[in-house]
């Protein structure tokens, strides 16, 4: 220690008085706090800059940056409404005509992959196709769905030509209308939910949301066509038959819906378990 102080004293003259008042450390040496002071100052500077930017954003909301977007503020959202494109030009208002002219010179964002403005796009059929798909083979699922709608239309036209003039007015020939009405007839209103009470599970009747109703109707239709289908019968033939049966409020899928309603009616005494 004495040799080290002597060496320091040869380079920098240090007095005993200064060593006594600094705890044995030379006055000219830098402490860790002084060495860390530039870092603290830089951190304070960055925090002050961030606070200033935040205050600027609050004062100028138009300059707020949008995160995770590749498009600038001059880009407009795409128009994917089918009814917008079906409207004839003569029925457009002056404002709508001005917007169409303005779109010719403005930048438009790319539409999402799941959205389309095609007049043949149907969300219900797309959802049913995705639920029917196996192993990610969507080409096969779309082909089966197309063949099913074609089989429905063929059967209805055969029935239409074989009927009398009075009965022809009551025969529906649009396969899309038949598909949606068949699924609508298969949707249950009340379902059963298992709730644990006193160490036992009770099947408690609860009302179902619209999304859950559509899901159960599609699931029951696909399950019925897969499990109860004859091995020599093709999927489009079986599915078209079940859709026509459900369209007339008949068939095993309608019976399954009625069975669920009967069970919910039988367990209505447990309905108060829903509010646990």
């Amino acid at each position: 220690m004495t040799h080290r102080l002597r060496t320091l004293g040869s380079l920098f003259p240090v007095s005993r008085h200064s060593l006594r008042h600094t705890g044995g450390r030379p006055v000219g040496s830098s402490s860790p706090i002084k060495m860390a002071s530039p870092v603290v100052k830089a951190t304070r500077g960055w925090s002050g800059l961030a606070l200033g930017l935040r205050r600027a954003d609050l004062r100028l909301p138009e300059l707020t940056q949008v995160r995770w977007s590749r498009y600038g503020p001059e880009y407009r959202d795409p128009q994917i409404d089918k009814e917008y494109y079906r409207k004839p030009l003569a029925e457009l208002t002056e404002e709508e005509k001005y917007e169409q002219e303005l779109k010719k010179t403005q930048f438009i964002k790319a539409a999402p992959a799941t959205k389309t403005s095609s007049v043949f796009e149907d969300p219900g059929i797309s959802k049913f196709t995705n639920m029917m798909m196996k192993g990610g083979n969507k080409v096969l699922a779309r082909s089966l769905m197309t063949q099913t709608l074609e089989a429905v239309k063929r059967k209805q036209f055969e029935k239409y030509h074989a009927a009398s003039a009075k009965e022809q007015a009551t025969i529906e020939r649009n396969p899309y209308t038949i598909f949606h009405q068949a699924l609508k007839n298969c949707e249950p209103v009340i379902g059963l939910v298992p709730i644990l009470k006193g160490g036992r599970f009770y099947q408690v009747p609860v009302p179902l949301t619209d999304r859950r109703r559509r899901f159960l109707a599609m699931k029951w239709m696909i399950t019925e066509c897969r499990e109860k289908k004859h091995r020599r019968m093709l999927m489009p033939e079986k599915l078209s038959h079940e859709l026509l049966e459900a369209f007339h409020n008949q068939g095993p899928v309608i019976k399954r819906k009625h069975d669920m309603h009967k069970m919910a009616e039988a367990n209505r005494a447990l309905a108060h378990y829903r509010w646990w």
Side-chain angles (χ1 to χ4, degrees):
M1 183 67 180
T2 306
H3 177 69
R4 187 180 302 172
L5 292 177
R6 288 175 182 175
T7 308
L8 291 173
S10 62
L11 297 176
F12 306 99
V14 180
S15 61
R16 294 182 179 180
H17 179 75
S18 62
L19 292 175
R20 188 185 309 116
H21 288 279
T22 57
R25 187 180 67 251
V27 178
S29 63
S30 60
S31 63
I33 299 177
K34 291 184 178 180
M35 292 176 64
S37 59
V39 180
V40 176
K41 291 180 180 179
T43 305
R44 291 177 178 175
W46 282 109
S47 62
L49 179 61
L51 184 60
L53 290 176
R54 186 178 302 175
R55 291 175 179 174
D57 290 344
L58 293 176
R59 289 193 301 267
L60 302 173
E62 297 179 356
L63 301 180
T64 305
Q65 294 183 354
V66 180
R67 299 184 59 187
W68 311 112
S69 177
R70 73 174 85 176
Y71 302 105
E74 68 274 8
Y75 283 80
R76 298 186 61 182
D77 294 329
Q79 180 62 257
I80 57 177
D81 187 13
K82 294 185 292 184
E83 300 299 332
Y84 177 81
Y85 296 100
R86 288 177 175 174
K87 198 172 183 180
L89 185 62
E91 298 181 3
L92 295 178
T93 61
E94 293 296 332
E95 184 178 356
E96 292 175 346
K97 291 181 181 179
Y98 176 74
E99 288 183 358
Q100 286 191 357
E101 292 294 330
L102 198 61
K103 283 184 178 180
K104 297 179 180 179
T105 58
Q106 285 187 335
F107 298 103
I108 307 296
K109 298 179 183 178
T114 57
K115 301 294 183 180
T116 177
S117 59
S118 174
V119 295
F120 301 102
E121 194 267 340
D122 195 320
I125 292 182
S126 300
K127 179 66 175 176
F128 193 86
T129 304
N130 292 337
M131 293 183 63
M132 192 169 53
M133 179 175 56
K134 273 189 175 182
N137 195 348
K138 197 163 189 177
V139 176
L140 177 60
R142 284 177 177 173
S143 176
L144 294 176
M145 196 67 221
T146 305
Q147 296 176 28
T148 300
L149 297 176
E150 183 181 350
V152 169
K153 190 170 184 178
R154 187 185 302 111
K155 292 179 181 179
Q156 289 300 99
F157 264 95
E158 291 176 358
K159 184 178 179 181
Y160 177 82
H161 291 300
S164 60
K166 185 181 294 185
E167 295 177 353
Q168 286 180 355
T170 60
I171 297 177
E172 179 63 49
R173 290 162 291 171
N174 189 352
Y176 292 94
T177 305
I178 295 174
F179 175 81
H180 289 291
Q181 186 61 38
L183 290 182
K184 188 70 176 178
N185 294 340
C186 295
E187 292 180 2
V189 179
I190 299 177
L192 296 173
V193 175
I195 294 180
L196 181 63
K197 195 74 173 179
R200 290 182 57 187
F201 282 97
Y202 295 93
Q203 296 294 330
V204 179
V206 295
L208 301 176
T209 60
D210 294 340
R211 185 175 180 180
R212 181 65 179 173
R213 295 176 188 178
R214 289 191 296 267
F215 171 77
L216 288 178
M218 294 181 182
K219 179 184 176 183
W220 291 346
M221 183 67 68
I222 295 173
T223 305
E224 179 66 27
C225 294
R226 283 179 178 169
E227 296 181 354
K228 306 296 179 61
K229 180 178 69 67
H230 192 270
R231 62 186 184 91
R232 293 185 180 273
M233 182 180 290
L234 298 178
M235 183 66 175
E237 189 69 23
K238 176 66 174 177
L239 184 56
S240 62
H241 174 72
E242 294 297 334
L243 286 175
L244 289 174
E245 288 287 323
F247 177 72
H248 297 97
N249 278 317
Q250 299 174 1
V253 183
I254 299 295
K255 183 178 180 301
R256 188 169 182 176
K257 181 190 75 169
H258 291 333
D259 292 342
M260 176 174 282
H261 287 173
K262 289 179 182 178
M263 191 175 298
E265 181 70 20
N267 295 351
R268 63 179 181 177
L270 306 175
H272 63 283
Y273 285 165
R274 179 182 166 214
W275 294 275
W276 62 87

